[in-house]
Amino acid sequence: MAILTPTRLIKLLGNELAFSHNVLEITAEYMLNIIRDKTLETFSSFYPHIVRINLAADKVKVPGSQNKYRIPREMINPNQIRQIINIYCDNLNSTYNTPFLGQNYFVNIFEEQMRINTLSAILLKETFRFHPPNIIEIFPAYAYFKNFTVDVALTHHPNFFTIRPQHQQNFIELALIDIKKTIWTIRSIYPNLATAFGNIEMDLDNYSNADDKRQEWIERHTKYFAKSVLRKRIWVG
């Protein structure tokens, strides 16, 4: 499937709305504004544009903090960041040293449990908390690392080329619903027009259920997201 562009999107929507046979109340440019303001926002909540960036910890650390790091504006516009998917710290080490324990077959059960507890704390995989718009707080707070990688979920580009081919149909479906909703809002003011040649029906039936269709789209994709293997899970052992 070809890359999605504004021109191609308008052409696809035009086929659904029969541009060649209907005179619509809104222009192609106005349609694009609606899609960028409304459709793109909703769609990106379910299928964000995900990018991976590499950061040097000492260069992006928030001054005065122990474990907070700021994603540079030069790399990513903070207004585009929706959430942080994951982080990967290189050579993650604790600033605490593992206590030396003698190697023998007869160990004190309490010392062994203390050793396990200590290793569990020291070797714990990194976790994080996202502070919008662009700050990441990494745990454990006492961990030391030089570099880390971040997977960032972004709102898609306003020219749509970041939307993956396998998701284009879902996006076009939602865009069509939002355009129909706008047309219905305008046409519902005048359900029909009286002319010298008779009444002209405004074809409201084809547009009146746009709100319901939008809610159905959201519910359908919410259910898919809940079942997705890509969804982040918490495992409890």
Side-chain angles (χ1 to χ4, degrees):
M1 187 177 288
I3 293 175
L4 194 61
T5 64
T7 301
R8 181 165 174 262
L9 178 59
I10 290 298
K11 182 179 179 181
L12 292 170
L13 293 176
N15 293 337
E16 296 291 335
L17 296 169
F19 275 3
S20 59
H21 302 286
N22 290 321
V23 177
L24 299 179
E25 292 81 351
I26 56 179
T27 64
E29 188 59 36
Y30 191 74
M31 287 185 192
L32 290 174
N33 289 338
I34 293 170
I35 294 168
R36 285 166 178 152
D37 291 342
K38 188 173 183 179
T39 311
L40 212 57
E41 186 70 20
T42 300
F43 181 82
S44 296
S45 296
F46 294 93
Y47 303 99
H49 175 46
I50 299 175
V51 298
R52 177 168 289 185
I53 57 174
N54 299 311
L55 300 170
D58 58 336
K59 293 183 178 180
V60 298
K61 193 169 188 178
V62 175
S65 73
Q66 183 179 9
N67 59 327
K68 290 183 179 179
Y69 304 86
R70 179 178 284 109
I71 298 175
R73 292 174 177 268
E74 307 81 60
M75 297 184 70
I76 294 179
N77 181 350
N79 295 328
Q80 288 185 293
I81 300 176
R82 306 190 68 85
Q83 60 178 311
I84 303 300
I85 302 297
N86 215 337
I87 63 167
Y88 312 90
C89 298
D90 295 343
N91 301 318
L92 183 67
N93 292 303
S94 169
T95 54
Y96 293 100
N97 294 319
T98 305
F100 175 79
L101 297 175
Q103 298 296 320
N104 57 65
Y105 294 103
F106 304 98
V107 296
N108 183 293
I109 187 172
F110 297 106
E111 289 182 352
E112 180 65 10
Q113 185 61 54
M114 289 177 62
R115 184 183 74 84
I116 294 173
N117 292 346
T118 302
L119 288 177
S120 176
I122 292 174
L123 301 179
L124 182 66
K125 188 181 185 299
E126 68 272 14
T127 58
F128 65 92
R129 181 182 295 129
F130 176 51
H131 300 275
N134 63 342
I135 291 178
I136 306 169
E137 187 175 9
I138 298 178
F139 301 97
Y142 50 77
Y144 172 77
F145 49 90
K146 291 183 178 180
N147 304 292
F148 63 104
T149 301
V150 185
D151 289 338
V152 189
L154 307 174
T155 300
H156 282 280
H157 194 278
N159 283 339
F160 318 123
F161 61 81
T162 55
I163 297 174
R164 293 185 176 185
Q166 62 266 37
H167 296 153
Q168 287 181 16
Q169 193 55 47
N170 291 325
F171 178 72
I172 293 167
E173 178 188 358
L174 183 60
L176 180 62
I177 290 170
D178 287 339
I179 295 302
K180 282 188 173 183
K181 184 178 185 302
T182 301
I183 294 175
W184 179 83
T185 302
I186 298 172
R187 290 190 180 184
S188 62
I189 300 174
Y190 305 103
N192 58 72
L193 297 177
T195 70
F197 303 99
N199 288 339
I200 299 177
E201 296 295 330
M202 300 303 290
D203 190 25
L204 291 182
D205 291 341
N206 192 32
Y207 300 92
S208 60
N209 64 345
D211 273 329
D212 292 337
K213 290 291 185 182
R214 193 176 212 279
Q215 188 58 37
E216 288 175 10
W217 190 99
I218 292 174
E219 290 175 357
R220 185 170 73 250
H221 291 273
T222 300
K223 182 182 293 186
Y224 168 79
F225 177 78
K227 295 180 179 179
S228 173
V229 295
L230 299 177
R231 184 186 180 203
K232 190 173 182 180
R233 290 174 168 82
I234 299 176
W235 299 97
V236 179

